[in-house]
Amino acid sequence: MPETQRATSKLLHGIIVGLLSSLAGLCLWHLELLNWIERPLWDLRSRFFASPSAATDRIRLIFLDQASLEWGRKTQGWPWPWPREAYAAIVDFCRRSGAESLTFDVLFTEQSRDGVEDDLVFREAIAAFHAFVGAVMPTAEHDGQTAWPEGFRFTGIDVHTNAGQPRIRLPHTVAAYFPVPEIGEPCAVLGSAHAVPDSDNIVRRLAPAVTFDGRMLPSLGLAAAMAPISDPRCTLSERGLSITDTTVPLDRHGRMIMRWRGPYQTYKAVSAQAVIQSEVRLRENSKPVLDPDEFKGRHVLFGFTAPALGDLHATPMGPLQPGVICHATMLDNILAGDFLRDAPLWTVAAWTILIGISGAILGRFCSRPWLATVLLLCSAPLPSVAGFAVYQAGWWLPVAPAHLAAPASVVAALVVNYALEGRQKRFIKNAFKQYLSPHVIERLIADPTQLRL
């Protein structure tokens, strides 16, 4: 067989082997059978690139931590749950400080144990704050409310669509648990407090909104961004969900990829105890514990960190993150505008096929075991290197199918080498070992085209 014909044959074999290996990787990835590879590498990229944005300092957190719980019980005589007047003091301090918005990641679905008067104190504080965001919990169970409550200030947002019915759909909820009327009615915006994790219980994507009773219910993170806007306009298109001048890219399930900023200590946080003490002291014309300017012009989110309150979630940043961090991160992404987008499917397929075919062709032309070893070692990290590179450009590239296709194509090509060329070498040795010297036989093995009468 002429040398050019042998090279062409090897090239054709490499293309076929690489294509089959790539298609196998893509099929397994599409069936979500490679999540055990994809998800840890996802979390690794999220942690590696986690860093504050220009908007991170515009967000402040108030934590109801264990120390605040103990302070309330010992010095104020507050059992859990706290009276609503305690939350009213927090709202008053944020309003006094000039906070841009205040979001409570707390469900007030039941009346206060101290009676309706306690709820009315909280209601008065909420009504005085022009950008207060309350929490709603969507549910698939029909024991929640299936329509917007009567008398509420916020009853959802109309969403317009471009180009008919876009491929993207927002998640839909059939029912929701709303705050009691005394608290829910004066809220400027209501937001979904639901953070749905992946099947391994780690939150990586969140839906910025759901549809409920024909209108849009934003998540707490999106609601906080919309609260200061007097007339937010929302449009759903193939590009994603547009809110005024910002477009949030969504996947086909209506979720956005979270660009994590770091562990929850990344955002400046204060305790609920310090905020309440500061408000009480300001009412008494005394020096507060906290400087009110700390919240001025900033979005403030209130949530739980006390272990007994159970609002902890696993994220790529760690297994025990306060639930409010998920909403703060979404708000940060929206304010900063540095969203991550899914790489188009054709890009994932093309990249996987390219790396599979390249590995198979190189493997087919490997004539030495050490070259095959080097090729395997070099191809193993290549997909993750590509994933890291495009992350910086704002793209999320799945790497699991390429991680399977790269070594699989090289190994398959080496098997083909052994099956075809190894068989030829064994034939030459066995056929001529009694007639030719070992040196001549090695020359024939290296170049079988010398075999002629």
Side-chain angles (χ1 to χ4, degrees):
M1 182 185 294
E3 192 64 29
T4 55
Q5 191 174 352
R6 290 182 64 211
T8 302
S9 176
K10 286 185 176 183
L11 185 64
L12 181 61
H13 290 159
I15 293 174
I16 295 173
V17 168
L19 186 60
L20 292 176
S21 300
S22 303
L23 292 177
L26 289 169
C27 288
L28 292 175
W29 169 70
H30 179 71
L31 295 173
E32 298 186 355
L33 297 177
L34 297 181
N35 284 342
W36 61 277
I37 300 175
E38 188 67 56
R39 286 173 175 173
L41 294 174
W42 180 308
D43 298 342
L44 180 63
R45 276 176 283 173
S46 296
R47 288 192 296 270
F48 184 85
F49 288 106
S51 61
S53 73
T56 300
D57 191 55
R58 294 175 58 190
I59 298 172
R60 291 291 185 270
L61 302 178
I62 301 174
F63 285 148
L64 205 170
D65 52 14
Q66 192 63 38
S68 296
L69 276 180
E70 293 297 326
W71 168 81
R73 182 178 60 84
K74 293 179 179 178
T75 66
Q76 306 298 316
W78 293 340
W80 183 254
W82 274 4
R84 303 287 158 78
E85 64 174 346
Y87 299 115
I90 294 173
V91 176
D92 287 341
F93 181 81
C94 293
R95 176 179 53 81
R96 185 196 300 271
S97 301
E100 189 164 0
S101 72
L102 173 60
T103 302
F104 264 62
D105 186 14
V106 184
L107 300 175
F108 298 104
T109 56
E110 297 179 357
Q111 299 286 346
S112 169
R113 66 165 64 192
D114 295 326
V116 69
E117 293 80 8
D118 189 34
D119 286 327
L120 293 177
V121 171
F122 192 22
R123 176 193 180 98
E124 184 178 350
I126 294 172
F129 200 112
H130 71 286
F132 181 90
V133 179
V136 173
M137 180 55 73
T139 177
E141 301 173 4
H142 288 274
D143 56 345
Q145 292 179 255
T146 57
W148 292 97
E150 294 289 337
F152 275 46
R153 176 182 172 186
F154 180 78
T155 56
I157 299 172
D158 286 325
V159 180
H160 304 281
T161 57
N162 284 343
Q165 294 296 323
R167 175 181 57 86
I168 296 173
R169 294 283 190 274
L170 293 176
H172 177 70
T173 183
V174 297
Y177 298 109
F178 283 83
V180 294
E182 290 79 6
I183 297 172
E185 287 178 353
C187 292
V189 185
L190 292 172
S192 167
H194 210 184
V196 181
D198 291 334
S199 59
D200 59 353
N201 291 322
I202 296 179
V203 178
R204 298 182 179 91
R205 299 176 185 243
L206 278 184
V210 299
T211 57
F212 171 73
D213 191 26
R215 294 169 69 85
M216 189 185 85
L217 172 67
S219 69
L220 287 178
L222 177 58
M226 296 171 60
I229 304 173
S230 58
D231 184 23
R233 300 181 181 275
C234 296
T235 304
L236 189 64
S237 66
E238 294 297 332
R239 296 177 57 203
L241 181 64
S242 299
I243 306 97
T244 310
D245 298 327
T246 302
T247 299
V248 182
L250 305 177
D251 63 18
R252 60 191 180 92
H253 299 294
R255 302 172 302 169
M256 63 177 283
I257 303 173
M258 304 289 282
R259 188 189 283 269
W260 299 94
R261 305 305 185 187
Y264 70 86
Q265 297 91 341
T266 301
Y267 297 99
K268 291 185 179 180
V270 298
S271 69
Q273 169 190 345
V275 177
I276 295 172
Q277 289 175 330
S278 297
E279 174 60 23
V280 171
R281 292 188 181 187
L282 288 172
R283 292 174 182 177
E284 297 172 349
N285 295 320
S286 300
K287 184 178 180 180
V289 177
L290 299 173
D291 184 356
D293 286 342
E294 185 65 25
F295 290 168
K296 186 175 182 180
R298 292 183 169 93
H299 296 272
V300 182
L301 292 91
F302 177 95
F304 299 148
T305 60
L309 304 184
D311 189 24
L312 299 175
H313 294 268
T315 75
M317 298 298 103
L320 297 175
Q321 303 288 303
V324 71
I325 289 298
C326 299
H327 306 297
T329 302
M330 178 183 288
L331 172 61
D332 192 327
N333 289 184
I334 293 171
L335 296 178
D338 57 346
F339 301 105
L340 285 169
R341 294 169 172 80
D342 282 302
L345 287 178
W346 68 266
T347 305
V348 180
W351 156 247
T352 303
I353 292 172
L354 175 64
I355 197 171
I357 291 178
S358 299
I361 291 175
L362 292 174
R364 191 70 180 87
F365 280 90
C366 276
S367 58
R368 296 288 186 271
W370 69 269
L371 281 176
T373 303
V374 171
L375 180 59
L376 275 173
L377 292 176
C378 291
S379 64
L382 188 59
S384 282
V385 171
F388 273 72
V390 299
Y391 188 104
Q392 287 291 68
W395 293 99
W396 192 271
L397 177 67
V399 297
H403 264 300
L404 181 66
S409 61
V410 173
V411 171
L414 296 177
V415 170
V416 171
N417 286 351
Y418 178 80
L420 297 181
E421 297 184 9
R423 181 175 60 186
Q424 185 182 52
K425 291 177 181 179
R426 290 190 298 273
F427 169 77
I428 293 174
K429 278 190 176 182
N430 292 331
F432 295 99
K433 65 182 179 180
Q434 296 181 5
Y435 308 103
L436 301 175
S437 68
H439 176 69
V440 174
I441 291 176
E442 291 300 325
R443 287 176 56 190
L444 291 177
I445 289 174
D447 184 12
T449 59
Q450 297 185 39
L451 278 173
R452 59 176 61 90
L453 292 175

